[in-house]
Amino acid sequence: MVAYPNPDRDEIHFAFVESGERQLGGIREAALVARVKPATIQVWVSRKKIEPVLIGKTGPLFHLPTVRAAAEGGAKHRPADPAANSRGPHAHAA
């Protein structure tokens, strides 16, 4: 089960028709929408946070509003000290 499931393909199509806004994009477009690196999108897919709508000849296509929602949802764990995230478990106690 994916944490942020995609809507039905018909809903994606009709949302595009109504708004004219692009609903699908490749991994680079998904990364731009989420303001992360493309490798982070690949990690999200491997950890079942998001999934591609379909996989075409050029690669996976993602529902951009779903990717945006996943980015706004944030991480499961955020340390109280933002720098602690970069130090990792090997940090020595002060």
Side-chain angles (χ1 to χ4, degrees), residues 9-69:
R9 290 184 185 189
D10 289 336
E11 290 180 38
I12 294 171
H13 173 72
F14 289 122
F16 171 71
V17 170
E18 287 178 9
S19 68
E21 183 181 329
R22 203 168 138 188
Q23 297 287 312
L24 299 177
I27 196 163
R28 294 199 184 277
E29 290 90 356
L32 287 173
V33 165
R35 296 182 182 171
V36 296
K37 295 178 182 179
T40 303
I41 299 295
Q42 292 173 335
V43 170
W44 288 358
V45 170
S46 70
R47 293 183 180 173
K48 302 285 187 198
K49 186 171 184 176
I50 60 173
E51 65 183 355
V53 174
L54 59 98
I55 299 176
K57 292 182 181 180
T58 59
L61 292 175
F62 296 92
H63 184 242
L64 299 178
T66 302
V67 172
R68 187 177 300 115

Side-chain angles (χ1 to χ4, degrees), residues 78-85 87:
R78 290 187 184 189
D81 176 16
N85 196 27
R87 288 194 291 266

